[in-house]
Amino acid sequence: VSSSLETPRERLLRKARVQIWELVGERGCRVELLNAGARASLFRCFLRGRCSVIAKVYCKSTKGARHEWDALRFLAAHAPLIAPIAPRPLERSKDGRVILMEDLEGETLTSLLERDGGLDAKRPLLRVAHALGLLHGTAAKCLNMLPRSLRNEYIRQSDESETLRDRVRALLQRAAVAPAAGFDIAWQELVERLRSPGEFLTFTHGDLAPSNVLMTADGPKLLDFEFAGARSSLYDALFWEAIVPFPRALARAMTQKYRDTLTGDIPKARDDDRFRHELSTLKTHRLFWSLTFRLDHALASRDSDWVPGWPLRPAYLFYLRNYVVTCRRLDSLEPLLQTAEVLYARLRKQWAENASYPENFMRGARRTS
Ligand SMILES: Nc1ncnc2c1ncn2[C@@H]1O[C@H](COP(=O)(O)OP(=O)(O)O)[C@@H](O)[C@H]1O
Ligand SMILES: [Mg+2]
């Protein structure tokens, strides 16, 4: 019964409950809210016979909702080997907003990384890297089975990079950094490289974050396929190479593990030059793209955080340093690398802050790596 005294959470639960009951065909079963996000909310429903399922309820019928369902179906149906990497899809509402899937038991990487300063994280992380290598390698062989909705992500990204260049140039200007000679030509090469991942083209998760990885007794499982699609496999490796600020030695070990596994299905990944070329392409795109997220805020004030416990300026300095240090040895797009180096030097001089890790992030592991 609706009431004006309802809290937003109660209202969300009441509305979702009706949709979920309809879909599972069990009116009155217990429905628990797990997580309320901006685009979707997650529920656990307890069915008769003591089994439970997860319902993901999107606020709108978006492209993301469709990608998630298509990705889960692809993983379950066309590549039996890789099916266990994700929850089994069970049912979807007619409007596409509600997705029912298998309820997996496990611990998210978020909680694992918080435990004991991340001291226990290395082995599980290497398992994730291995599982990802298997997923990418297996999926690369059945790309012709990929649903149409997921096929062109890499082309879209390449197209968007054409306009990204102008936004990056505007930001550089605000930071009083002149792009290195040959910047535009190198950028055009970046656009073309993104468009032609060659042997590395595969099904990617697209949003790897610690909260989207569940460690189960049956190995690591990936959740949340809203941004899934065909891309260079190394897009997902950015998870540890360029997004989560893992200690460098750990990130290197994950890439090694990942690459060893990937090589089983994509022999080209064994070729050092080719692998570096691909990794530097993806890292370069990520670095410049990430400048457009919040660099303008960071230039204007020192007050906001990248994530809680990690102010914007130390975070940007961390990412820039990580990029210039690791891409110096890769097959880099020289003028883009030089520009990032100049930007890094300028911001270090201009800001009082230093590059740092997020407060308390993997403290234990940082000491030992
Ligand atoms: N199939 C599942 N089994 C168990 N827990 C799940 C499942 N799907 C999601 N969860 C839990 O819900 C959280 C949010 O799910 P996710 O799909 O990532 O939603 P969002 O799009 O809001 O990030 C996950 O971090 C995980 O803890
Ligand atoms: Mg998520």
Side-chain angles (χ1 to χ4, degrees), residues 35 39 42 56 68 205 207 209-213 223-227:
N35 185 46
R39 286 188 296 269
L42 272 288
K56 184 160 185 175
E68 174 133 43
H205 176 279
D207 187 23
S211 62
N212 290 338
V213 182
L223 306 169
D224 200 354
F225 288 85
E226 194 179 335
F227 297 99

Side-chain angles (χ1 to χ4, degrees), residues 216-322:
T216 76
D218 194 24
K221 309 279 184 179
L222 308 184
L223 306 169
D224 200 354
F225 288 85
E226 194 179 335
F227 297 99
R231 299 182 179 92
S232 168
S233 79
L234 291 174
Y235 187 84
D236 280 346
L238 297 180
F239 169 45
W240 62 81
E241 277 285 342
I243 300 172
V244 180
F246 290 119
R248 190 60 214 146
L250 182 53
R252 214 179 300 125
M254 289 181 79
T255 296
Q256 184 66 52
K257 182 74 179 174
Y258 169 73
R259 188 177 168 194
D260 286 347
T261 310
L262 189 68
T263 300
D265 291 302
I266 305 181
K268 207 61 191 165
R270 195 177 289 133
D271 179 335
D272 283 341
D273 289 344
R274 180 67 185 97
F275 189 83
R276 288 189 188 136
H277 169 103
E278 198 62 19
L279 187 56
S280 85
T281 301
L282 276 294
K283 287 182 88 156
T284 302
H285 173 259
R286 172 77 203 186
L287 188 272
F288 284 100
W289 183 31
S290 73
L291 298 182
T292 68
F293 301 168
R294 309 281 292 282
L295 185 65
D296 52 350
H297 289 264
L299 288 168
S301 110
R302 61 188 346 155
D303 293 338
S304 35
D305 284 353
W306 181 262
V307 292
W310 205 20
L312 274 183
R313 290 180 176 182
Y316 268 119
L317 291 172
F318 178 95
Y319 285 130
L320 278 161
R321 185 183 62 188
N322 180 50

Side-chain angles (χ1 to χ4, degrees), residues 87-99:
R88 248 177 320 114
L90 301 171
E91 205 75 59
R92 177 169 67 151
S93 64
K94 279 207 189 72
D95 63 4
R97 284 201 308 118
V98 187
I99 292 173

Side-chain angles (χ1 to χ4, degrees), residues 69-135:
W69 177 254
D70 286 349
L72 290 174
R73 296 253 301 176
F74 167 73
L75 293 176
H78 294 297
L81 218 173
I82 56 182
I85 192 98
R88 248 177 320 114
L90 301 171
E91 205 75 59
R92 177 169 67 151
S93 64
K94 279 207 189 72
D95 63 4
R97 284 201 308 118
V98 187
I99 292 173
L100 289 187
M101 65 185 105
E102 179 186 7
D103 185 4
L104 297 168
E105 207 182 309
E107 180 183 23
T108 61
L109 263 188
T110 314
S111 111
L112 196 142
L113 291 173
E114 278 164 8
R115 220 174 335 108
D116 300 327
L119 265 182
D120 296 332
K122 183 167 180 185
R123 271 215 264 164
L125 286 172
L126 290 178
R127 279 203 288 272
V128 173
H130 173 69
L132 204 63
L134 271 184
L135 165 69

Side-chain angles (χ1 to χ4, degrees), residues 19-41:
Q19 293 170 312
I20 294 169
W21 283 345
E22 218 164 84
L23 203 57
V24 298
E26 276 192 34
R27 237 196 128 60
C29 71
R30 184 153 69 93
V31 175
E32 231 170 49
L33 177 64
L34 287 183
N35 185 46
R39 286 188 296 269
S41 298

